[in-house]
Amino acid sequence: MIQFNDVSKVYNGSVKAVDNVSFNVEDGEFVILVGPSGCGKTTLLRMVNQLEEITEGEIILNNQSVKELNKIEMRRKIGYVIQSNGLFPNMTIEKNVMIVPDLLGWDRKKRQDRFNHLMELIGLHPDEFRKRYPHELSGGQQQRIGVARALAADPPVMLMDEPFGALDPIIRNRLQEEFLQIQKEVKKTILFVSHDIDEAVKMGDKIALLRDGEIMQYNRPEEILNHPKNEFVSKFVGQDRVLKSTSLYSVKDLDNEVGLSPYDKSAHIKAVQEDTSLRIILSMLLNQEADQLVIEDGNGNRKGSLTLEHVEKFLQAKVGENADGVALQHE
Ligand SMILES: Nc1ncnc2c1ncn2[C@@H]1O[C@H](COP(=O)(O)OP(=O)(O)OP(=O)(O)O)[C@@H](O)[C@H]1O
Ligand SMILES: [Mg+2]
């Protein structure tokens, strides 16, 4: 677990980059730091691995103040992906990825196996890339190498500073999916910086939204979207926050909350699986692919039907008093 206890950072005695921040990141939790440029995200990460000194307060990593960790322990425990991928241009890809294992003195066999494994994990062929230099890779490939490098010594904690920042939306999306897949396998404690709320909603177990060095809200994505704590949060997540929240729920969630309706057995109605995201359901209904959908469980048993009204009722229930109009139907 990482604990931030009243942490502040003042640069040059005057610039308050981080202002009295307190929150906890549980083991295996994926936490996203979001907020406008200059709000202190990078500074917060860099205090965890002692690249910046903490001005006030404490950061505790598994019951030990990070100030007490020495450099070797630090490298074992904390992987770091910096904002620009930070690969060394004059080192091969293999050397770049294996910097920390090399420092830790791993033997040849263990190194080889680890390199091959990591490259497979990030979807690049080990032999094809081993001897290349960073400039011989595309931007997206370089960012993946940055991620592999941070994972190399299998640290329990990862700090990732906009690792997918400079990518076009398609590659970015693919890397996000890949990384979520990787995280399912490796289950690390992750602090991940982004300035993209959609990325945060998609990837994070929790989101910490920062402004001017202060935490505005720290909670699960659905809480941030459905119950923004103040106007800044509400503006930051956007007018369409209620629609965004549909990607967090499936038909099953809807069934549990508001129930499905009986369906007309004789009519020909389009069927969808109950694990389908409400976002997809919504777009099917709004694009008038169907007025009504029949819901099937994993075994193909029909459980009931839903229409746009069900989705409205569900969202209303989720956002409660905060609903600034959950009107989905257009005339
Ligand atoms: N080394 C430094 N010396 C002085 N001020 C700094 C230093 N590094 C950062 N700052 C200031 O601290 C504040 C927070 O910067 P930080 O880099 O943490 O923001 P950020 O949220 O990561 O921004 P971005 O989204 O643009 O990367 C900014 O006002 C920045 O100008
Ligand atoms: Mg930054």
Side-chain angles (χ1 to χ4, degrees):
M1 180 164 84
I2 315 173
Q3 291 167 273
F4 293 83
N5 296 338
D6 302 321
V7 174
S8 294
K9 174 70 189 181
V10 180
Y11 286 111
N12 310 324
S14 61
V15 183
K16 196 149 206 180
V18 171
D19 191 358
N20 207 28
V21 159
S22 298
F23 67 106
N24 292 344
V25 183
E26 304 294 334
D27 288 338
E29 203 167 48
F30 194 158
V31 169
I32 316 268
L33 300 172
V34 279
S37 182
C39 71
K41 305 180 293 293
T42 297
T43 303
L44 206 51
L45 284 197
R46 289 168 61 86
M47 285 191 288
V48 177
N49 59 7
Q50 299 186 80
L51 291 172
E52 293 294 349
E53 209 176 307
I54 302 166
T55 311
E56 265 181 84
E58 248 186 337
I59 300 175
I60 312 282
L61 186 68
N62 298 329
N63 303 317
Q64 192 178 15
S65 167
V66 294
K67 288 178 195 158
E68 292 162 14
L69 294 179
N70 65 37
K71 280 216 166 75
I72 295 283
E73 269 183 296
M74 200 65 146
R75 287 187 166 122
R76 275 209 182 113
K77 288 189 173 165
I78 307 176
Y80 182 39
V81 184
I82 71 172
Q83 196 159 359
S84 57
N85 67 50
L87 301 179
F88 293 107
N90 55 345
M91 282 187 188
T92 63
I93 294 307
E94 184 172 28
K95 279 243 155 39
N96 264 289
V97 171
M98 301 310 283
I99 285 174
V100 176
D102 284 347
L103 283 168
L104 297 173
W106 288 19
D107 67 42
R108 223 180 93 92
K109 170 86 173 85
K110 191 171 169 196
R111 286 178 82 268
Q112 287 276 332
D113 291 349
R114 185 68 184 155
F115 179 75
N116 293 344
H117 175 70
L118 286 166
M119 293 299 278
E120 270 153 32
L121 211 55
I122 57 164
L124 297 175
H125 196 283
D127 293 329
E128 195 180 317
F129 287 88
R130 192 185 308 275
K131 296 285 169 243
R132 290 209 213 164
Y133 287 86
H135 74 269
E136 297 169 317
L137 272 61
S138 74
Q141 289 167 341
Q142 288 179 27
Q143 289 212 309
R144 286 190 228 192
I145 298 296
V147 172
R149 178 170 67 178
L151 285 166
D154 201 18
V157 175
M158 299 272 286
L159 307 174
M160 309 182 73
D161 200 345
E162 303 210 31
F164 312 139
L167 301 175
D168 69 63
I170 292 171
I171 296 183
R172 190 182 170 101
N173 230 319
R174 215 170 57 211
L175 273 190
Q176 288 168 344
E177 299 289 341
E178 269 171 31
F179 193 74
L180 283 175
Q181 242 4 79
I182 293 175
Q183 169 62 357
K184 267 196 200 149
E185 283 173 45
V186 296
K187 262 298 171 208
K188 303 209 172 279
T189 306
I190 302 174
L191 257 180
F192 182 111
V193 169
S194 175
H195 57 242
D196 176 359
I197 188 69
D198 293 324
E199 180 168 83
V201 167
K202 179 171 171 187
M203 311 271 291
D205 296 320
K206 288 204 192 120
I207 296 173
L209 183 45
L210 287 136
R211 178 175 72 165
D212 297 339
E214 288 181 78
I215 293 199
M216 295 287 108
Q217 190 167 0
Y218 179 50
N219 215 321
R220 290 175 300 125
E222 70 173 279
E223 283 299 310
I224 300 252
L225 288 176
N226 292 339
H227 304 111
K229 218 166 150 183
N230 57 38
E231 202 176 333
F232 175 79
V233 178
S234 171
K235 282 227 170 81
F236 193 86
V237 297
Q239 294 278 311
D240 55 344
R241 63 189 173 79
V242 174
L243 291 183
K244 278 177 182 154
S245 77
T246 56
S247 66
L248 297 169
Y249 305 114
S250 68
V251 178
K252 213 167 180 170
D253 298 320
L254 179 144
D255 188 10
N256 291 336
E257 184 86 27
V258 298
L260 299 169
S261 295
Y263 63 97
D264 178 358
K265 288 198 167 72
S266 60
H268 180 75
I269 311 174
K270 196 165 182 146
V272 290
Q273 298 281 314
E274 66 180 352
D275 61 358
T276 307
S277 147
L278 277 195
R279 177 153 221 162
I280 292 171
I281 297 291
L282 190 57
S283 85
M284 289 172 86
L285 293 168
L286 289 175
N287 294 335
Q288 327 232 291
E289 269 178 57
D291 298 335
Q292 193 182 19
L293 296 166
V294 164
I295 308 307
E296 289 180 350
D297 69 15
N299 302 319
N301 301 317
R302 305 199 146 190
K303 299 186 69 183
S305 73
L306 63 75
T307 62
L308 211 45
E309 257 173 74
H310 291 79
V311 182
E312 270 182 13
K313 227 162 105 189
F314 173 77
L315 291 175
Q316 210 95 52
K318 282 291 173 195
V319 297
E321 289 161 18
N322 252 307
D324 28 21
V326 187
L328 303 175
Q329 298 192 55
H330 46 205
E331 293 308 313

